[in-house]
Amino acid sequence: MDAEQNKPKFDAMKKILAICLLFALNSYGQKKNAVTNNNNAASQQLNALKEKTLSMLDASYAADKKTALQIWDYAELGYKETKSAALHIQNLKEAGFSVETGVAGIPTAFVATYGSGSPVIGILAEYDALPGLAQEAVPEKKSIDGKTGGHGCGHHLFGTASVSAGIAIKKLIEEKKVTGTIKVYGCPAEEGGSGKVYMVREGFFKNVDAVIHWHPANQNRVIMTSFIANKSAKFRFNGIASHAAMSPENGRSALDAVEALNHMANMMREHIPQETRIHYVITNGGKAPNVVPDFAEVYYYVRHPKREVAVDVFDRITKAAEGAALGTGTKMSYEIVGGTHDLLINKTLAELMQENLAKTGGVSYTEEEKAFGKKIQASFIGNAPPIEDASTIKPLQIEADAGGGSSDVSDVSYVVPTVGLETATWIPGTSAHSWQAVACGGTEIGTKGMLVAAKTMALTAIDLFNKPAVIQKAKEEFVKGVGSYQYKPLLGDRKPALNYRD
Ligand SMILES: [Zn+2]
């Protein structure tokens, strides 16, 4: 009965409830639509910004190519990159950057800055060449008279792409399209000189939110392979000179000591962790066979994916050097030349960069470039991959094999979240540090790959300026990766080895 009496009241309440529910749903829907619309508008804006940046980099390509080939021609060795650094500094200053030169006690190191406030995004630039690799830009081995340096690692492209990407970002900051600070780091002597380690040690990467880098290669991929730690030194032995035939008993050979050390190091190979790499060159082995050498020098690299192992094996090499001196009656001293960490990968940043690499694509060659490439490939030992591989992009994946290379970028990766890529600047199958790499780098085969790198780095930077949540996530991953480790340079507190190429 009561229910019957209350029915009209109940119906009215139901109506009110239904209206409220409808209203709530409607306003939720509107809010949701507004958010979606905002998101769409933001992503459209971001895409437009990226398109504009790609056009900017296409427009600066001719000038960038000229810069890269000029530095390819300078081919200056580690810490002697005076003209190469000056050219980059000039371009950055003309574009409006303020440039601090001679940083970390290195005349050819610089930091170029534009903008203010956060985020602070850094881009690394390298420009040193390798000794003994002078080569014409032709598809057969042809050295250049009177020249020693050659860009066998493509650092002439490296520096130029990084400066170009930095300048593109600077324009966006200037036009208030993005807010924050862009820094281009001029990093000398990557090849053995560990230039960046001094810049890290002296605090030049403090307060930087993320660092972007790249490296010339024979493929296109975001780097998910760690670089291996490396500790290097020059071991010097002093003996006693004497006539090698008339009074050998009065001599003590410094070269004997070098040979004894090398013999012990070579036997040691059987008793060290598998992935260790030990290599050496005799940088001074005496001057004449009829003079017992009173001075000899050997330059060693010791590498391993784990820096503790590299350091441990390095220490064993120094013990062997002491033993070699004792056994040959000579005196030994050594100078640590370089030391670099293993690379700390940042997956968050790598995923972001992969999206942008997919946008900028690989490299395609003209018929003339393909013919050049076929000749280059004909000089390889073993089979070469298809030339068309240069147009493909490797999927993002952590590769278990740590690869063989080392880089001072690794030290940066232990103080700032860091991400990098490789692009095809050399014909597929080409080894770094070879005459083939120098030859490709001196042509448009190299500069085309450089443009892909500049574009990918600039787009990744734009994302970082626009996505604080990604930076946050990258930082969390970084903190976890570093763990309780307190960064300590493997080369200790030595001053930059400015004369290591003498
Ligand atoms: Zn390199």
Side-chain angles (χ1 to χ4, degrees):
M1 271 224 329
D2 281 356
E4 271 305 297
Q5 274 173 357
N6 285 338
K7 194 168 181 280
K9 242 196 222 168
F10 186 62
D11 282 350
M13 269 173 70
K14 266 206 311 199
K15 257 187 198 161
I16 290 165
L17 262 174
I19 289 166
C20 284
L21 192 67
L22 253 175
F23 184 76
L25 275 174
N26 197 22
S27 93
Y28 170 74
Q30 274 173 358
K31 268 188 200 154
K32 202 179 153 199
N33 280 343
V35 170
T36 315
N37 285 343
N38 277 347
N39 279 348
N40 281 343
S43 86
Q44 269 173 15
Q45 235 175 13
L46 189 60
N47 282 337
L49 205 56
K50 286 186 173 183
E51 288 305 322
K52 178 188 157 87
T53 308
L54 294 180
S55 311
M56 266 167 24
L57 288 165
D58 280 328
S60 68
Y61 175 60
D64 292 338
K65 188 165 74 177
K66 212 173 140 208
T67 299
L69 295 181
Q70 178 65 69
I71 293 173
W72 180 86
D73 192 41
Y74 290 152
E76 296 170 295
L77 304 183
Y79 293 133
K80 299 178 191 297
E81 318 93 328
T82 323
K83 289 187 275 184
S84 311
L87 186 51
H88 286 319
I89 290 168
Q90 182 195 327
N91 288 338
L92 286 158
K93 278 189 176 167
E94 276 172 11
F97 277 81
S98 64
V99 187
E100 195 182 344
T101 57
V103 302
I106 305 169
T108 52
F110 65 85
V111 183
T113 309
Y114 187 85
S116 60
S118 66
V120 181
I121 307 299
I123 303 181
L124 306 178
E126 294 176 5
Y127 29 82
D128 60 319
L130 284 153
L133 277 177
Q135 160 72 29
E136 302 264 15
V138 294
E140 62 269 334
K141 193 173 186 318
K142 195 168 180 224
S143 55
I144 302 171
D145 280 348
K147 208 168 167 179
T148 168
H151 272 290
C153 215
H155 295 179
H156 62 303
L157 305 167
F158 189 153
T160 308
S162 301
V163 167
S164 184
I167 290 174
I169 296 298
K170 177 256 158 190
K171 286 179 188 154
L172 301 182
I173 296 176
E174 189 179 27
E175 291 171 14
K176 304 204 182 324
K177 297 273 194 318
V178 297
T179 24
T181 309
I182 184 78
K183 278 176 179 281
V184 178
Y185 288 87
C187 310
E190 186 280 324
E191 298 289 353
S194 305
K196 293 178 200 71
V197 178
Y198 303 100
M199 297 170 85
V200 171
R201 195 178 72 183
E202 305 308 317
F204 284 94
F205 290 92
K206 264 189 194 147
N207 305 321
V208 178
D209 292 290
V211 162
I212 300 171
H213 68 103
W214 79 287
H215 202 283
N218 57 18
Q219 59 180 353
N220 306 292
R221 62 162 193 152
V222 171
I223 297 170
M224 286 288 275
T225 317
S226 185
F227 300 147
I228 67 178
N230 183 6
K231 190 163 180 180
S232 65
K234 288 180 180 174
F235 292 90
R236 299 184 178 116
F237 295 90
N238 284 92
I240 301 167
S242 181
H243 194 295
M246 285 162 61
S247 51
E249 70 281 7
N250 292 332
R252 295 292 179 268
S253 170
L255 177 61
D256 283 356
V258 164
E259 290 195 72
L261 165 58
N262 293 349
H263 188 58
M264 280 188 269
N266 290 332
M267 287 195 293
M268 203 190 288
R269 291 181 199 276
E270 198 184 335
H271 312 288
I272 51 179
Q274 191 77 344
E275 303 84 358
T276 315
R277 297 276 185 277
I278 303 177
H279 18 262
Y280 57 79
V281 286
I282 298 175
T283 36
N284 190 331
K287 299 289 177 224
N290 60 349
V291 180
V292 173
D294 65 350
F295 180 75
E297 182 188 78
V298 60
Y299 185 7
Y300 266 82
Y301 275 25
V302 179
R303 315 198 209 206
H304 191 275
K306 292 197 175 96
R307 62 181 173 275
E308 317 83 73
V309 178
V311 169
D312 181 57
V313 176
F314 177 86
D315 290 344
R316 287 169 66 188
I317 295 284
T318 62
K319 290 280 170 219
E322 284 167 16
L326 196 64
T328 54
T330 58
K331 288 197 166 61
M332 187 278 290
S333 63
Y334 69 93
E335 178 189 0
I336 292 167
V337 176
T340 58
H341 278 51
D342 48 297
L343 181 77
L344 188 61
I345 301 285
N346 195 291
K347 196 164 164 267
T348 307
L349 296 181
E351 282 166 353
L352 186 73
M353 186 173 254
Q354 181 77 11
E355 281 173 30
N356 290 307
L357 176 59
K359 267 199 192 81
T360 54
V363 176
S364 58
Y365 301 126
T366 61
E367 288 308 314
E368 206 182 324
E369 286 158 0
K370 277 185 199 161
F372 186 101
K374 290 264 180 230
K375 282 189 193 159
I376 288 278
Q377 287 192 330
S379 68
F380 295 164
I381 298 169
N383 291 336
I387 282 188
E388 290 68 29
D389 278 7
S391 63
T392 62
I393 289 157
K394 292 255 152 76
L396 191 68
Q397 58 187 37
I398 295 180
E399 287 169 46
D401 153 28
S406 309
S407 168
D408 53 8
V409 169
S410 305
D411 287 61
V412 178
S413 79
Y414 271 91
V415 294
V416 191
T418 299
V419 66
L421 81 153
E422 291 180 346
T423 68
T425 58
W426 310 321
I427 289 294
T430 304
S431 297
H433 297 196
S434 65
W435 68 259
Q436 293 94 334
V438 184
C440 292
T443 73
E444 191 135 15
I445 292 170
T447 54
K448 276 182 177 178
M450 171 185 82
L451 180 60
V452 174
K455 286 178 172 177
T456 312
M457 289 193 292
L459 297 194
T460 306
I462 291 174
D463 274 332
L464 291 172
F465 279 106
N466 278 284
K467 297 175 180 175
V470 175
I471 293 187
Q472 190 50 39
K473 196 176 161 210
K475 280 186 180 170
E476 282 162 17
E477 185 186 336
F478 165 80
V479 167
K480 229 170 132 186
V482 174
S484 60
Y485 175 63
Q486 291 280 330
Y487 174 78
K488 200 171 137 228
L490 297 193
L491 48 71
D493 58 3
R494 69 149 300 149
K495 286 196 170 132
L498 298 180
N499 297 322
Y500 81 112
R501 287 297 190 207
D502 285 352

